[in-house]
Amino acid sequence: MKYNFDQIVDRTGTNALKLEGYKGYIFNSDDSLDLPFKDDEFIHMWVADMEFACAPEILDAIRKRVDRQILGYTINSDDRLYDALSAWCKERYDFTFDKNHLLTSNGIVPAISNIISYIVKEDEKILFNTPAYCQFAVACDKNGREFITSELIKDYDGYYSIDFDDLENKMSQRDVRLFIFCNPHNPTGRAWTKEELEKIARLIRKYNLWVISDEIHCDIRRQDAPKHIPLGKILTDYDKLITCMAASKSFNIAGLAESSIIIRNDELRDKWTFYNKNTVNPLNHEATIAAYTKGSDWLKECNEYLDNNFKFLDEFFAKNLSKAIISPAQTTYLAWVDFKEYFNEDEDLELFFAKEAGVLIESDTTFVDHANRMVRLNLACPRSYLEEGLNRMAYAINN
């Protein structure tokens, strides 16, 4: 490989959330929480950022911008971001969008929260599928808006599918205004098929819903998974669609917090621009453009490395924790594992693995509904790091 994904990068002293913020984020506690491992002894398999060094092409772009010596107020005033993202989407997904529809945000979660405040009234509701990323619920709560959910169907092998009868039942409720759709799905790793997306699109049109398509994980995919299909390719002329994309997960630049928000509706776009202006962080902006224009080789090798990490995980669990059910992961670098055969219902798995294994993970408390005894494991790390974490987890369970 051209890039070294086996490299262990020292993140200490960088104020990394993964290392410094786990007590507050995972356990809702402060430093008074007593755990039998020191901070630097934990294996961190939680939160969705990678343990891989950023692509050197991205780092070079940041250095080049720093060398200009001034980091003043910056706006997205030229076509470079549009050219980069549109070429990326056209080449990979055969997806095109209007240049005037592209806006930027300091992250997708803040964008979702803003959009809720702009379009959902106090007596209206938001709908999304579960299990769900907790920040969907947080965005609703912060705006004082109620949400309802439609549970995905999980089979014996951990494969998830959409319950279309239930989804339509929820969409048909007169007070449901917005559908937040995770495409591909986090945390289950499902890549939705064209047939599934077409069914969803028909329901969205039928009930005239606003829809946010969160596509932040679309670039991370298994080699044998179908290509990502943006919902905008199915709802080609639907005015109430907002598509959210970012280079943050794909290229491990989440801390730079620039996301691309594609808004078709003129009124909503005007409202967004009025409140959010057109400003960008100068370093974030250059990193995002470099990712889309110069990062394809790095991403290709990253996906190949992740494929082998998932294979390693499958083989390890088959030998050491055979009762666990690993959902078939078509996308993301996050494994979704069912440990119900090893733990009692409502047992605190996050605390168990922290105390007994020295491994930090995210379990049901991080997700909305239908995640009891489920664990999300971040596999975007060097193989040796992954092996150490899994060995610790297996030893803690088996002993």
Side-chain angles (χ1 to χ4, degrees):
M1 282 188 170
K2 177 180 176 182
Y3 305 97
N4 182 12
F5 294 96
D6 287 319
Q7 176 189 2
I8 302 292
V9 179
D10 181 10
R11 301 180 67 179
T12 58
T14 64
N15 295 317
L17 170 65
K18 206 170 193 177
L19 276 64
E20 313 292 347
Y22 69 90
K23 288 185 178 179
Y25 200 104
I26 300 177
F27 304 109
N28 195 28
S29 181
D30 55 25
D31 287 338
S32 64
L33 177 65
D34 186 26
L35 296 171
F37 292 85
K38 297 178 182 179
D39 287 354
D40 60 359
E41 294 175 336
F42 281 104
I43 295 292
H44 298 263
M45 299 181 72
W46 73 289
V47 80
D49 70 13
M50 300 179 177
E51 292 301 308
F52 302 140
C54 291
E57 294 84 355
I58 294 175
L59 300 178
D60 287 343
I62 295 173
R63 293 187 190 101
K64 184 177 180 180
R65 180 62 182 86
V66 169
D67 286 344
R68 297 298 299 271
Q69 302 183 68
I70 293 178
L71 300 172
Y73 292 120
T74 306
I75 59 174
N76 179 29
S77 59
D78 55 31
D79 293 340
R80 290 186 306 135
L81 176 61
Y82 173 76
D83 291 344
L85 180 59
S86 62
W88 183 269
C89 290
K90 176 63 178 175
E91 178 183 349
R92 282 161 177 75
Y93 315 126
D94 193 28
F95 173 56
T96 58
F97 55 91
D98 191 306
K99 179 176 70 174
N100 295 322
H101 296 173
L102 177 62
L103 302 168
T104 61
S105 169
N106 62 333
I108 288 179
V109 171
I112 291 173
S113 183
N114 288 341
I115 291 166
I116 289 173
S117 71
Y118 300 155
I119 64 177
V120 181
K121 299 176 183 177
E122 290 186 1
D123 59 348
E124 294 175 330
K125 297 176 183 176
I126 297 108
L127 168 67
F128 51 82
N129 296 111
T130 55
Y133 179 41
C134 67
Q135 292 299 330
F136 290 172
V138 170
C140 297
D141 292 342
K142 283 185 175 179
N143 283 285
R145 300 296 184 265
E146 184 179 351
F147 66 85
I148 60 174
T149 64
S150 179
E151 181 181 1
L152 298 175
I153 300 170
K154 178 187 174 189
D155 69 13
Y156 181 79
D157 295 321
Y159 184 84
Y160 285 82
S161 57
I162 297 169
D163 185 339
F164 281 101
D165 290 337
D166 182 70
L167 186 65
E168 179 166 15
N169 178 265
K170 302 291 173 56
M171 284 184 169
S172 68
Q173 296 181 21
R174 298 184 66 179
D175 56 356
V176 172
R177 172 78 162 172
L178 169 67
F179 177 46
I180 302 177
F181 181 53
C182 202
N183 176 35
H185 191 261
N186 171 31
T188 68
R190 263 303 314 274
W192 306 117
T193 66
K194 183 179 179 183
E195 291 71 25
E196 289 170 319
L197 292 171
E198 287 173 341
K199 285 184 179 181
I200 289 171
R202 284 195 292 269
L203 293 177
I204 290 169
R205 287 185 184 276
K206 181 177 180 180
Y207 297 106
N208 194 31
L209 296 177
W210 284 94
V211 55
I212 297 174
S213 186
D214 176 1
E215 307 193 5
I216 193 170
H217 290 281
C218 66
D219 298 321
I220 303 291
R221 307 181 81 74
R222 305 291 82 76
Q223 186 176 17
D224 56 353
K227 282 188 177 182
H228 173 66
I229 304 174
L231 188 59
K233 277 193 68 174
I234 308 298
L235 288 169
T236 54
D237 59 348
Y238 193 70
D239 187 55
K240 292 184 176 181
L241 169 67
I242 302 103
T243 302
C244 300
M245 291 182 165
S248 55
K249 302 299 183 191
S250 309
F251 294 94
N252 199 24
I253 53 174
L256 295 181
E258 176 165 303
S259 299
S260 298
I261 313 300
I262 303 168
I263 301 178
R264 291 173 172 172
N265 183 272
D266 293 340
E267 183 178 350
L268 177 60
R269 201 166 56 252
D270 289 344
K271 187 174 291 187
W272 176 283
T273 304
F274 177 80
Y275 286 109
N276 297 277
K277 309 306 179 185
N278 194 33
T279 58
V280 293
N281 179 297
L283 303 185
N284 304 359
H285 198 57
E286 296 304 324
T288 298
I289 293 169
Y292 289 132
T293 55
K294 301 177 181 178
S296 59
D297 288 346
W298 185 94
L299 182 64
K300 180 178 183 294
E301 290 190 7
C302 180
N303 273 322
E304 291 172 357
Y305 194 92
L306 289 170
D307 285 349
N308 287 319
N309 271 3
F310 274 92
K311 182 180 178 181
F312 181 88
L313 177 82
D314 290 339
E315 292 173 351
F316 182 93
F317 270 73
K319 293 177 181 178
N320 300 281
L321 296 168
S322 60
K323 294 180 181 179
I325 301 172
I326 305 172
S327 291
Q330 299 169 306
T331 65
T332 81
Y333 48 75
L334 307 162
W336 188 238
V337 186
D338 186 341
F339 281 103
K340 67 182 178 183
E341 294 298 325
Y342 292 100
F343 296 94
N344 296 322
E345 189 173 1
D346 296 325
E347 189 164 351
D348 191 334
L349 270 62
E350 291 164 331
L351 196 58
F352 171 84
F353 284 116
K355 284 187 171 182
E356 303 300 328
V359 176
L360 298 174
I361 55 91
E362 291 173 303
S363 187
D364 51 1
T365 57
T366 307
F367 303 96
V368 183
D369 296 343
H370 313 115
N372 196 271
R373 291 168 290 179
M374 304 292 298
V375 168
R376 193 180 76 166
L377 297 177
N378 184 341
L379 305 193
C381 57
R383 192 84 28 80
S384 60
Y385 194 84
L386 173 61
E387 184 174 11
E388 173 67 16
L390 295 181
N391 277 324
R392 291 188 186 190
M393 294 176 70
Y395 182 84
I397 290 175
N398 292 326
N399 290 274

